[in-house]
Amino acid sequence: MVLQTLRKGASGWIAKIFLLLLTLSFVVWGIADVFRGFGASTVATVGGTDIPAADYRNAFLEQVQRIGRSTGKGLTTEQARAFGLDRQVLNQMIADATLDEQARRLGLAVGDAQIAKEIQSNPNYRRPGADSFEPAYFDQLLRANGLTEQRFVASEKKRALREQVIDALGDGIVAPKTLLDALHRYDGELRNVSYILVTAGAAGALPAPTDDQLKAYFEAHKVAFRAPEYRKVSVLALTPVALTAGITITDEEARAAYERDIAHFGTPERREVQQIVFAKPEEAAEASEKIKAGTSFADIATARGLTAKDTDLGLVTKSAIIDPKIAEAAFSLAEGATSGPVQGRFGIALVHVAKIEPGTTRPFDEVKAELMQEMALSKARRELLDKHDAVEDERASGATLAETAQKLGLKLQVFDAVDRSGRDPKGDAVEVPGGLEVVSGAFEAAPGVETDTVQLPQNGGFIWYETNAITPSRERTFDEAKAAVTARWTEDETAKAIEAKAKALLAKAESGTPLAQVAGEAELPIQMADALRRGRADGNFSPESLQAVFDAKDGGFGETPAAKAPGRIVFQVTKVIVPPPTEADARVAQDLSRQLQNDVLMQYLGGLQKQIGVQINQRVYAQSVGAQTN
């Protein structure tokens, strides 16, 4: 749009701040609405400035169209309202009007000569490729967008005055050095540590639990050992693979398919082909005679100043050679032979075959089983939709899946007990066709209620399922849960033992024993980790365990969970490294300063609006964007 080109001239950091305003809900919406004195054509009033409904609606529709063009998808006004675009556009217009009011209150002004100079020096208002301003072209831009020079200059004056207010407000606001140093240290700091990894082996073997210990643990954690709800589910899976069970391919059919597509069962012949292309027929004839007299093809190429890159076509199949006549000549020669002149697409050529790799063909008996399976699958795919329609017809008549499967000769799979995670009462995963989509659907359906068909991706087939019965969740007895209780108790006690061992090692180190000596006495290796960064997992250190490392002082000790549970780490910070600032830090400083400027602007505009007064006519506002009004 040409209008967008005009608006580029007003771009700058002020435009970026207004872009921020577009994404925020402004304090305007907390101000009480006043309806008295509104005209039917005014959507809002800021001090003594009215925002016409027509201007607001045009701005709103233009923003809707701009987003639609940028995303490549049409955006309806209803969708735009749902995204809050109507409020954002009004917020921006109120912000503009607020700055206009403040500029008037401050007595700010800008002359026509200054605006004219800015327009003439702005390359966005010049003809593409032109070095200087052309009044005729500028006038053409204005007329193409329904603007007059007076209206455009007036809008530019307003923009310049707003920019003066904002420049005066934001100038000199920069992020404090203390804050930047803290951010740099937080994000860039590196730490080296020495550490001991304490695992189950280091904690020692646990004594076998007694029944009383297990029973007490069971009573304290009964909810964890509760039997989940199970469902009995019938599944009819109609897939090409399932249909192949009822399809027979004879030897005769397989052999006929083999003969029709014999190239599919082998590799084609390949030849290493070279060629020399001549501009004149007599040159090709002369070179051909020399080759017949004993000169080699390579010598002819060298004499013409050609390299292997100029002559080699590579080790290729016949179909890979673009020129049919060259391909025919190349694959009619014996190995080491050179053709006579051949009229190809790109000139007259001599073709030489340096090497021949014969093609291979797998015998029928070797590929028979594979071929029959492919043919059965192909036939099954063709029958799939017919079978699908037959199943749907049976379901429409009221038949159960069991009755449907029996009548159509299909296999029905019945899973007596499946929980929500797809496991049976033993805890083993159950291979339910359709996976968790079918299992989840079975837990949402009541017994006997028909469910939706599941279509597998890439025409992989269809699945029908029914919930036959429900086994409610219940509390297990201790005897039923004993194996799981023993495993859980062992896990918890192992974790406790590891933590106790780690804390004992930490206490010894903190009392003054060197960490290497602590490790040696515990018969554990001392390990090193360098250049650890906050929040970035590294080897045995998870992001969570690194937090403890960065909470410790230089030379300090700590203890934290290892990346792999139930291990623990006892560590000492051996070095703290703060790298010098980089270009990335400079960008962070700029971004943070800009955010501070934006925050100040937001507060400033909010304060101005309370002083000046902002009123929104909700009825006209809703009508302008096509919303319903009461």
Side-chain angles (χ1 to χ4, degrees):
M1 294 289 291
V2 180
L3 187 56
Q4 291 175 337
T5 302
L6 288 172
R7 286 182 175 165
K8 280 185 181 179
S11 64
W13 79 276
I14 182 175
K16 294 179 180 177
I17 291 179
F18 281 161
L19 184 60
L20 172 69
L21 295 179
L22 273 176
T23 65
L24 300 175
S25 292
F26 221 42
V27 293
V28 167
W29 299 96
I31 297 175
D33 299 327
V34 179
F35 297 101
R36 294 179 183 176
F38 272 117
S41 61
T42 301
V43 71
T45 298
V46 181
T49 301
D50 290 340
I51 298 178
D55 290 354
Y56 168 63
R57 179 167 177 78
N58 289 339
F60 170 69
L61 293 178
E62 183 181 325
Q63 188 76 342
V64 170
Q65 293 168 2
R66 185 189 66 79
I67 293 176
R69 288 192 300 269
S70 64
T71 60
K73 297 180 180 179
L75 188 69
T76 67
T77 55
E78 291 78 10
Q79 291 171 326
R81 292 200 306 272
F83 295 146
L85 192 62
D86 52 343
R87 296 186 297 277
Q88 293 170 2
V89 171
L90 186 56
N91 287 343
Q92 184 179 18
M93 297 184 77
I94 289 173
D96 289 347
T98 302
L99 292 172
D100 293 343
E101 282 287 313
Q102 181 65 357
R104 279 195 290 272
R105 290 171 60 178
L106 295 174
L108 300 178
V110 61
D112 290 344
Q114 180 180 342
I115 294 297
K117 183 178 179 181
E118 289 183 3
I119 292 174
Q120 291 173 2
S121 62
N122 194 321
N124 291 297
Y125 301 149
R126 297 175 187 170
R127 189 184 304 277
D131 295 329
S132 60
F133 179 80
E134 301 176 23
Y137 177 72
F138 180 67
D139 185 59
Q140 179 183 345
L141 284 178
L142 295 176
R143 285 187 287 103
N145 289 274
L147 296 171
T148 64
E149 182 176 327
Q150 291 76 14
R151 282 180 59 195
F152 182 70
V153 169
S155 70
E156 284 295 281
K157 282 184 177 181
K158 286 185 177 181
R159 179 197 60 75
L161 292 174
R162 293 171 196 153
E163 196 167 75
Q164 286 184 36
V165 175
I166 292 176
D167 282 345
L169 182 69
D171 189 33
I173 297 178
V174 295
K177 185 176 185 303
T178 303
L179 176 59
L180 294 174
D181 289 344
L183 286 173
H184 169 68
R185 184 181 185 95
Y186 183 87
D187 189 59
E189 181 181 323
L190 307 174
R191 294 201 168 196
N192 298 346
V193 298
S194 298
Y195 70 96
I196 304 169
L197 178 64
V198 184
T199 60
L206 293 174
T210 65
D211 275 1
D212 288 341
Q213 287 176 309
L214 294 177
K215 286 178 181 178
Y217 187 87
F218 173 71
E219 291 298 329
H221 303 84
K222 230 172 186 178
V223 174
F225 302 106
R226 186 179 178 87
E229 177 182 319
Y230 291 99
R231 298 218 167 186
K232 182 179 180 180
V233 184
S234 295
V235 180
L236 176 58
L238 183 66
T239 65
V241 174
L243 288 178
T244 58
I247 296 175
T248 301
I249 304 295
T250 65
D251 283 4
E252 290 75 13
E253 290 174 323
R255 185 170 289 279
Y258 175 81
E259 297 294 340
R260 283 196 305 270
D261 196 18
I262 195 168
H264 177 71
F265 302 100
T267 57
E269 178 184 320
R270 298 194 303 172
R271 296 191 170 203
E272 190 174 306
V273 180
Q274 301 165 347
Q275 71 170 359
I276 300 174
V277 179
F278 298 87
K280 299 178 180 179
E282 55 270 22
E283 291 178 350
E286 181 182 349
S288 179
E289 291 300 325
K290 287 181 179 180
I291 289 175
K292 290 177 182 178
T295 304
S296 70
F297 183 87
D299 289 341
I300 296 293
T302 301
R304 297 184 66 82
L306 302 175
T307 65
K309 183 179 178 181
D310 301 317
T311 61
D312 287 359
L313 299 182
L315 188 63
V316 294
T317 62
K318 186 175 183 180
S319 61
I321 300 176
I322 299 174
D323 193 322
K325 291 186 177 179
I326 299 296
E328 190 63 38
F331 277 78
S332 63
L333 295 170
E335 185 172 318
T338 303
S339 72
V342 178
Q343 181 63 58
R345 289 182 178 178
F346 308 106
I348 299 175
L350 297 184
V351 180
H352 178 76
V353 176
K355 179 182 176 182
I356 297 177
E357 284 189 1
T360 62
T361 301
R362 297 167 64 192
F364 174 71
D365 289 339
E366 181 182 325
V367 301
K368 176 180 174 181
E370 174 188 333
L371 178 57
M372 285 183 166
Q373 180 64 22
E374 288 180 2
M375 293 176 68
L377 274 173
S378 179
K379 192 171 183 180
R381 291 189 185 97
R382 293 194 297 270
E383 294 180 2
L384 186 64
L385 292 181
D386 291 338
K387 284 288 186 182
H388 166 271
D389 293 344
V391 172
E392 288 294 339
D393 288 345
E394 291 299 320
R395 293 184 78 203
S397 69
T400 65
L401 283 185
E403 293 167 344
T404 299
Q406 183 177 9
K407 182 174 180 179
L408 299 179
L410 301 173
K411 180 182 178 181
L412 182 73
Q413 295 175 266
V414 179
F415 302 91
D416 292 325
V418 181
D419 68 13
R420 289 182 183 273
S421 65
R423 297 183 177 275
D424 63 17
K426 294 181 180 179
D428 297 329
V430 180
E431 296 295 329
V432 179
L436 288 180
E437 182 177 358
V438 169
V439 173
S440 299
F443 271 82
E444 293 173 1
V449 175
E450 187 174 291
T451 58
D452 293 334
T453 306
V454 174
Q455 183 169 355
L456 297 176
Q458 298 179 347
N459 198 26
F462 305 90
I463 295 175
W464 295 267
Y465 62 94
E466 291 177 347
T467 299
N468 305 125
I470 300 174
T471 302
S473 175
R474 65 176 179 82
E475 288 188 354
R476 288 192 175 103
T477 65
F478 172 73
D479 290 337
E480 287 180 295
K482 185 174 181 179
V485 172
T486 303
R488 186 72 65 86
W489 179 91
T490 303
E491 288 177 6
D492 286 359
E493 291 301 312
T494 299
K496 291 177 183 177
I498 291 173
E499 185 173 5
K501 179 72 173 179
K503 289 188 181 300
L505 297 177
L506 174 63
K508 191 179 251 189
E510 288 179 330
S511 68
T513 305
L515 191 64
Q517 184 178 334
V518 172
E521 292 174 355
E523 297 183 350
L524 293 172
I526 186 78
Q527 302 185 55
M528 310 293 175
D530 294 338
L532 296 176
R533 297 193 65 179
R534 193 188 307 268
R536 295 166 174 83
D538 189 325
N540 289 315
F541 292 87
S542 67
E544 293 74 20
S545 60
L546 283 170
Q547 185 59 48
V549 171
F550 280 83
D551 286 343
K553 297 179 180 179
D554 189 1
F557 297 91
E559 184 269 334
T560 186
K564 187 175 181 181
R568 308 284 296 189
I569 293 173
V570 179
F571 66 86
Q572 180 181 21
V573 178
T574 57
K575 190 174 184 180
V576 176
I577 305 166
V578 181
T582 64
E583 290 184 6
D585 293 291
R587 289 194 295 270
V588 169
Q590 293 174 356
D591 292 342
L592 189 57
S593 296
R594 190 174 297 114
Q595 290 177 26
L596 291 174
Q597 293 165 0
N598 291 341
D599 290 342
V600 171
L601 174 63
M602 293 286 290
Q603 295 175 36
Y604 179 69
L605 287 175
L608 283 180
Q609 288 167 358
K610 288 180 181 178
Q611 293 177 17
I612 295 171
V614 177
Q615 301 172 5
I616 301 173
N617 190 329
Q618 292 285 6
R619 183 176 297 279
V620 174
Y621 158 69
Q623 290 173 346
S624 298
V625 294
Q628 294 182 349
T629 58
N630 295 326

